């Protein structure tokens, strides 16, 4: 069969492959090369070695946005996962209307990031208004605004994954715990959490990588204001490219660093998952 | 027994309160979309009264002045055809690279999986240049771009499923005289339908809501819904909060309808996608 099929490369593989090469492979390779050059258009690049990378680290806004992003990821990963795990525990008990509740909690996840950003901008400005401040008068407001927005958006998604994990736990295991007289907390700690570790890994992976890559919500909620202090990495890279003339090379160098950071996290996470799979 | 019932009532009540809290942002936007623009920022949590009630003025502005229908049309066109292209071409690609084992197909598979961990910012600038050079900076051209950028996750999911399917069925079809295209479309593809639904849902959610890629490639000449909303902020000086609220409501309505009609598939698609991804 392999030999018959082999002749059909042009029909089966080529259309997808051409689009993939055009949209990903070529831009990716060009991106790596251009990060070592100074350029205004793709064709007039001149080699500058590591200069763009050095300049990226010399501009304080890049390190600020890195630190802001790391803080944001740590806090939002905790709020999202704790809340969604808690919800999934409630929603796996036999309560009337479970499906309706799941539908509601998942809903924000389908709404686009730009829309979510403006929804929360209106609400948070309304909350802050009596105190005579706005979302952008202090970076702390923007930070917590992003955390609230992201928690609202992602909790339902993670809840769905946790619910699936809990439903896969063999009934006998939970019944045995009950017969042995385990309390609710003991059951959660000693049976449910160990049994849903694959779900925990997935949820951590998704919340961490999505947190690092956050762009639309950041752009719509604060756009980095006040003075770039709520600018996350993705937005910082975007602004380096499109907000500052002559900084294409530095923008591309920042993008490469960003890629390495996200890829490293993804690979570490993969490694952890694999180890666990071997153990099981 | 009675005790247990009591605790379940407590859980229900707690969930009910949480659900209201979760819905409230959407409800507040809906409420404000019927108020005059000045009253939205001054008293965002007050119900409209005879002074502040604006009837459908905000919607009129959102739909006709800002062009909601055209944005909806572009969003729908790009999303539907990109998703169809992704399903058709990546399922074919995935079948080919899974069934034909050569160093080249292994390299393709590796590149596809690799692309899944690359953030968009890495290729943002260079991709928009390539797209301009190839004159793909139109709503139709964008379909090719989405096919290319979405191919990674989609082929990974398709080939994961194909690997679990025994070869015998396909071989039998081929021995019976089916050509590879016929084998694919009448034997393989029907088996792929559940995976195709998952792929369709994950990609539809992404493409419908995507802002940056269409903005960088086709700009504001053909605004999709996210671009039209962002443009309202950027293009008009002081934001017209009334039109903004109406646009937010109008942007959410199709998503909510889509969600309520395919809810079952969306939830199971998300679970399947999470396990694979």
């Amino acid at each position: 069969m392999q030999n018959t099929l082999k002749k059909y490369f042009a029909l089966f593989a080529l259309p997808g492959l051409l689009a993939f090469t055009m949209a990903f492979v070529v831009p990716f390779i060009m991106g790596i090369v251009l990060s070592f050059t100074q350029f205004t258009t793709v064709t007039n690049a001149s080699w500058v070695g590591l200069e763009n990378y050095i300049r990226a680290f010399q501009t304080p806004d890049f390190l600020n946005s890195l630190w802001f992003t790391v803080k944001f990821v740590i806090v939002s990963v905790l709020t999202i996962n704790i809340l969604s795990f808690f919800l999934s525990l409630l929603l796996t008990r036999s309560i009337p209307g479970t499906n309706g509740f799941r539908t509601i909690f998942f809903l924000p996840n389908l709404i686009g990031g730009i829309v979510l950003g403006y929804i929360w901008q209106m609400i948070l400005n309304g909350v802050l208004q009596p105190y005579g401040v706005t979302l952008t008068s202090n970076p702390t407001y923007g930070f917590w605004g992003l955390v609230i927005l992201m928690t609202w958006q992602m909790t339902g998604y993670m809840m769905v994954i946790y619910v699936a994990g809990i439903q896969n736990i063999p009934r006998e295991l939970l019944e045995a715990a009950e017969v042995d007289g385990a309390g609710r907390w003991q059951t959660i700690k000693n049976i449910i959490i160990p049994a849903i570790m694959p779900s925990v890994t997935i949820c951590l992976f998704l919340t961490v990588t999505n947190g690092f890559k956050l762009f639309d919500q950041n752009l719509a909620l604060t756009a980095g204001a006040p003075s770039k202090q709520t600018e996350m990495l993705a937005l910082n890279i975007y602004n380096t490219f499109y907000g500052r003339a002559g900084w294409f090379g530095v923008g591309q160098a920042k993008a490469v660093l960003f890629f390495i950071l996200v890829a490293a996290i993804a690979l570490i996470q993969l490694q952890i998952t694999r180890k666990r799979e071997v153990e099981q | 027994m009675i005790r247990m019932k009591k605790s379940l009532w407590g859980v229900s009540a707690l969930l009910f309160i949480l659900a209201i809290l979760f819905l409230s942002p959407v409800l507040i936007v809906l409420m404000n979309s019927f108020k005059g623009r000045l009253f939205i920022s001054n008293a965002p949590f007050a119900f409209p009264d005879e002074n502040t009630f604006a009837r459908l003025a905000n919607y009129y502005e959102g739909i006709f002045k800002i062009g909601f229908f055209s944005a909806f049309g572009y969003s729908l066109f790009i999303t539907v055809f990109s998703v169809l292209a992704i399903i058709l071409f990546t399922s074919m690609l995935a079948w080919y690279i899974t069934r034909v084992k050569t160093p080249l197909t292994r390299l393709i598979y590796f590149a596809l999986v690799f692309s899944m961990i690359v953030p968009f910012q890495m290729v943002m600038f260079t991709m928009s240049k390539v797209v301009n050079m190839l004159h793909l900076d139109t709503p139709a051209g964008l379909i090719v771009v989405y096919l290319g950028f979405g191919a990674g996750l989609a082929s990974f999911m398709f080939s994961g499923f194909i690997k679990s399917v025994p070869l015998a069925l396909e071989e039998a079809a081929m021995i019976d005289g089916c050509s590879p295209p016929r084998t694919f479309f009448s034997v393989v593809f029907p088996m792929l339908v559940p995976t195709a639904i998952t792929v369709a849902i994950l990609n539809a959610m992404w493409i419908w809501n995507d802002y940056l890629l269409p903005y960088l490639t086709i700009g504001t000449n053909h605004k999709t819904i996210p671009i039209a909303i962002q443009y309202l902020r950027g293009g008009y000086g002081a934001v017209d909060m009334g039109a903004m609220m109406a646009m937010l409501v109008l942007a959410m309505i199709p998503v909510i309808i889509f969600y309520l009609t395919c809810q079952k598939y969306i939830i199971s698609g998300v679970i399947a996608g999470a396990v694979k991804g």
Side-chain angles (χ1 to χ4, degrees), chain A residues 46-95:
Chain A
S46 62
W47 195 260
V48 294
L50 287 173
E51 201 188 301
N52 291 328
Y53 289 87
I54 295 164
R55 274 169 83 192
F57 280 110
Q58 278 170 345
T59 49
D61 57 278
F62 182 60
L63 292 176
N64 283 344
S65 72
L66 175 64
W67 176 229
F68 186 85
T69 310
V70 169
K71 275 194 297 186
F72 167 79
V73 169
I74 294 171
V75 175
S76 66
V77 162
L78 286 174
T79 55
I80 294 165
N81 282 284
I82 291 170
L83 184 61
S84 57
F85 177 66
F86 170 71
L87 280 179
S88 70
L89 284 179
L90 295 180
L91 285 171
T92 43
R93 304 173 75 175
S94 41
I95 292 160

Side-chain angles (χ1 to χ4, degrees), chain B residues 108-165:
Chain B
I108 295 168
Y109 180 76
F110 173 78
L112 287 164
V113 172
F114 174 76
S115 77
M116 284 163 58
I117 59 167
V118 176
F120 180 68
Q121 269 69 23
M122 173 66 208
V123 295
M124 172 174 77
F125 179 80
T126 44
M127 181 206 274
S128 68
K129 291 294 161 219
V130 172
V131 168
N132 283 336
M133 252 185 277
L134 297 174
H135 302 293
L136 289 171
D137 42 5
T138 62
L142 209 52
I143 293 164
V144 183
V145 184
Y146 274 122
L147 167 63
F149 205 67
L153 177 68
S155 345
F156 179 67
M157 293 182 69
F158 277 123
S159 95
F161 180 79
I162 295 166
K163 272 177 202 161
S164 71
V165 174

Side-chain angles (χ1 to χ4, degrees), chain B residues 7-263:
Chain B
S7 84
L8 281 185
W9 268 111
V11 171
S12 286
L14 182 63
L15 280 170
F16 192 75
I17 293 165
L18 280 170
I20 301 272
L21 265 175
F22 253 77
L23 273 184
S24 60
V26 174
L27 299 176
I28 292 168
V29 170
L30 182 67
M31 184 177 87
N32 277 304
S33 71
F34 294 105
K35 293 203 294 209
R37 64 179 87 161
L38 296 173
F39 305 103
I40 295 167
S41 12
N42 288 340
F45 304 120
F47 274 101
D49 57 30
E50 63 260 42
N51 293 322
T52 60
F53 185 56
R55 292 172 198 283
L56 294 174
N58 296 330
Y59 287 89
Y60 182 83
E61 214 163 316
I63 290 175
F64 297 106
K65 284 198 196 154
I66 295 152
F68 177 79
F69 284 146
S70 123
F72 179 82
Y74 284 123
S75 279
L76 192 68
F77 171 78
I78 293 169
T79 307
V80 168
F81 287 100
S82 300
V83 167
L84 289 177
I86 288 173
I87 288 177
L88 177 66
F89 293 117
T90 55
S91 64
M92 284 161 60
L93 174 64
W95 186 55
Y96 186 89
I97 61 172
T98 314
R99 290 305 185 219
V100 178
K101 292 275 173 228
T102 63
L104 177 68
T105 61
R106 236 163 268 147
L107 179 72
I108 295 168
Y109 180 76
F110 173 78
L112 287 164
V113 172
F114 174 76
S115 77
M116 284 163 58
I117 59 167
V118 176
F120 180 68
Q121 269 69 23
M122 173 66 208
V123 295
M124 172 174 77
F125 179 80
T126 44
M127 181 206 274
S128 68
K129 291 294 161 219
V130 172
V131 168
N132 283 336
M133 252 185 277
L134 297 174
H135 302 293
L136 289 171
D137 42 5
T138 62
L142 209 52
I143 293 164
V144 183
V145 184
Y146 274 122
L147 167 63
F149 205 67
L153 177 68
S155 345
F156 179 67
M157 293 182 69
F158 277 123
S159 95
F161 180 79
I162 295 166
K163 272 177 202 161
S164 71
V165 174
L167 250 174
L169 216 58
E170 294 158 30
E171 276 172 340
M174 294 257 223
I175 289 162
D176 286 349
C178 278
S179 61
R182 182 114 192 256
T183 309
F184 180 77
F185 288 107
S186 37
V187 178
V188 182
F189 193 77
M191 291 192 291
L192 292 178
V193 167
T195 312
I197 292 173
T198 305
V199 170
I201 281 163
L202 293 176
N203 282 291
M205 280 165 57
W206 160 51
I207 296 169
W208 179 269
N209 291 323
D210 196 22
Y211 164 75
L212 200 48
L213 201 161
Y215 176 74
L216 290 176
T217 50
I218 55 178
T220 48
N221 295 331
H222 311 277
K223 296 190 204 80
T224 61
I225 291 174
I227 295 172
I229 288 171
Q230 179 64 16
Y231 185 71
L232 199 56
R233 176 53 182 247
Y236 280 69
V239 200
D240 179 345
M241 283 300 271
M244 174 65 95
M245 289 303 124
M247 281 291 272
L248 293 181
V249 172
L250 292 174
M252 285 189 283
I253 289 172
V255 170
I256 293 174
I257 292 173
F258 172 68
Y259 179 40
L260 293 179
T261 43
C262 335
Q263 190 202 343

